Amino acid sequence: RVGALYGYALLWALLFAVILKWFINREIGRYTVCTGKTVMDGFSQLGKSNWAVHIILVPQLFVAVATIAGLAGSAGTALVLMLPGDIRIWTIASILISTALVVWGRYNAVELVATILAVVLSLSAIIAALTVFPNMNELVQGLIPQVPATINYGEILPWLGFMLSGAAGMIWYSYWIQRRGYGAAVNKDLAQAAHYSTEDTKRLKGWIGQMTFDNNIAVFGTLLMTLSFLILGVELLRPLGLVPEENRVAEVLGQLLGQIWGPVGFWFMVVGVFIGFWDTVLSDQDGFGRMFAGGTRLLAQPFGAKGKWVNEGFLKNFYVITVVTILPIILYLAVGKPVTLLKIAGFIEAAHIPVLTALVMKLNQQQLPKALQPSTFTRIIMIIAGLFFAVFAIVYVLQISGWLNL
């Protein structure tokens, strides 16, 4: 969408966002590797009244509802091209089926199939991008920081917010590392140690290196795919004046491969659009459910809550059914514009990243031994990351308030 609207002018911003988020991801991973705890558990220890947990969870409630509604609505734009029926019915069906799989925990097979098809789609996009690869001078020009003469920051901020992953996705990375048993997450002695020995420190540094390598692979793959879709948007959609929007998301995106490989490419892309969006509904429902469950446990424990209200299994299903099923359905039926809903969610995500960055920096400085803390260089980059997203968020607010005319 951004490629179709602005060409390669914002390629530099894409690279900045991905590289800066790489550092944020690694610092989140560093905390969990070294302590065995998720960053949400860490945030609860930053001060009294769980203030840090509150400022993470409250904005993410809005993000969760708008994101699921927008993703499911976008998936519905593909289903309505392939099957008879109203797009609203297919959107609701997409959410309900995903909810059933998440609550019952029977989605491993679906994830496997979706992953295989997503890899095929990604490779197809890369091959297609190479087929229409632009003049190198155009790409080089896009690496020079510049802002188009007429720009809507309401398009750019959500793009930057969701690029690689939003604030919520980066928090989930902590849960993933914990479940994978990295570092102190699998070694109970390390997790409970008040002080680390030289050997423990060396071992944890090795785990940080492994986590960093994994992060590199994920970021490189995401960058390659994102760049491919940007190229396709510029080379194929922009000349025709086509922009993926609202209930025509799948139809317009189908033109990407349809222009190269004909009807087969068109329908393959439509199927890919459905899989991409719906699989993300599935993973987001699971991710948001886990995060809200963990956060609720942390908020409820100081008040002596017991039983199901501190049971993360129960809480996860509660949030999956209410916050990321019932509320998104109501919101979608009220608004009916999936791209608009994703823009709203993306704006909050982008504006929330500086807050997350500051909390993670504070967490690692306070709770990690000096030998395992980030370097001065990394701290400087983290500050730059927070400022980068904060500036875009502030400019957008000034633009929509009328204080800044761009």
Side-chain angles (χ1 to χ4, degrees), residues 121-139:
L121 174 64
S122 300
L123 291 175
S124 300
I126 293 169
I127 293 170
L130 290 172
T131 303
V132 298
F133 200 79
N135 184 292
M136 282 301 297
N137 288 334
E138 296 179 57
L139 285 179

Side-chain angles (χ1 to χ4, degrees), residues 180-403:
R180 291 287 179 176
Y182 279 39
V186 74
N187 190 323
K188 292 183 179 179
D189 292 333
L190 276 177
Q192 296 171 359
H195 302 284
Y196 298 142
S197 67
T198 302
E199 185 61 33
D200 291 338
T201 300
K202 183 178 178 181
R203 196 182 319 165
L204 288 172
K205 284 184 176 180
W207 276 109
I208 292 172
Q210 177 63 51
M211 177 269 297
T212 300
F213 176 77
D214 294 346
N215 199 26
N216 291 345
I217 298 299
V219 169
F220 177 77
T222 302
L223 181 60
L224 192 60
M225 288 182 282
T226 305
L227 183 58
S228 297
F229 278 105
L230 182 73
I231 290 172
L232 292 174
V234 177
E235 301 299 325
L236 300 180
L237 298 185
R238 188 171 171 82
L240 300 177
L242 291 174
V243 178
E245 53 189 353
E246 305 309 351
N247 291 333
R248 296 185 64 237
V249 170
E251 181 184 347
V252 173
L253 289 178
Q255 299 295 325
L256 292 176
L257 299 186
Q259 291 184 55
I260 300 175
W261 296 318
V264 173
F266 175 84
W267 288 109
F268 176 78
M269 188 65 183
V270 169
V271 172
V273 167
F274 168 71
I275 291 169
F277 280 111
W278 184 71
D279 183 49
T280 310
V281 170
L282 194 70
S283 60
D284 278 17
Q285 284 186 315
D286 183 71
F288 278 117
R290 290 179 190 277
M291 185 173 71
F292 292 142
T296 300
R297 171 181 58 79
L298 293 169
L299 295 176
Q301 280 177 337
F303 296 96
K306 297 179 181 179
K308 61 185 179 181
W309 295 112
V310 291
N311 182 310
E312 291 196 24
F314 167 80
L315 290 170
K316 176 192 169 187
N317 289 340
F318 171 79
Y319 281 114
V320 167
I321 292 171
T322 55
V323 174
V324 289
T325 297
I326 295 174
L327 294 182
I329 288 174
I330 294 172
L331 181 62
Y332 176 78
L333 292 176
V335 178
K337 297 180 177 181
V339 173
T340 297
L341 291 170
L342 287 173
K343 284 183 185 179
I344 293 170
F347 161 68
I348 300 173
E349 283 285 70
H352 209 191
I353 288 172
V355 176
L356 176 63
T357 303
L359 290 176
V360 171
M361 289 179 65
K362 186 177 181 66
L363 197 60
N364 285 346
Q365 184 174 354
Q366 282 190 1
Q367 298 192 17
L368 298 187
K370 192 171 183 60
L372 294 171
Q373 288 183 10
S375 65
T376 300
F377 174 77
T378 296
R379 288 172 180 162
I380 292 171
I381 297 297
M382 288 285 282
I383 293 171
I384 293 173
L387 291 174
F388 177 81
F389 291 100
V391 167
F392 273 96
I394 291 169
V395 170
Y396 174 61
V397 171
L398 291 175
Q399 186 182 52
I400 60 175
S401 65
W403 285 83

Side-chain angles (χ1 to χ4, degrees), residues 8-136:
Y8 298 112
L10 294 164
L11 177 59
W12 65 273
L14 183 158
L15 294 176
F16 265 65
V18 170
I19 292 171
L20 293 174
K21 286 185 179 182
W22 178 89
F23 280 92
I24 302 171
N25 267 346
R26 190 178 66 163
E27 291 314 295
I28 287 173
R30 180 192 301 274
Y31 178 78
T32 302
V33 164
C34 294
T35 66
K37 298 181 291 188
T38 68
V39 288
M40 288 296 290
D41 285 307
F43 293 156
S44 70
Q45 299 173 12
L46 285 179
K48 297 180 180 179
S49 305
N50 275 318
W51 61 269
V53 176
H54 281 96
I55 64 175
I56 288 294
L57 291 185
V58 173
Q60 289 301 325
L61 284 170
F62 295 96
V63 171
V65 176
T67 298
I68 298 299
L71 290 169
S74 298
T77 67
L79 286 175
V80 79
L81 293 177
M82 298 183 285
L83 301 167
D86 190 288
I87 189 172
R88 291 169 294 184
I89 294 174
W90 289 120
T91 296
I92 294 172
S94 297
I95 296 176
L96 292 178
I97 294 172
S98 174
T99 300
L101 291 170
V102 172
V103 171
W104 291 339
R106 301 296 180 89
Y107 55 85
N108 287 341
V110 176
E111 282 283 78
L112 177 62
V113 173
T115 299
I116 293 171
L117 291 173
V119 169
V120 173
L121 174 64
S122 300
L123 291 175
S124 300
I126 293 169
I127 293 170
L130 290 172
T131 303
V132 298
F133 200 79
N135 184 292
M136 282 301 297

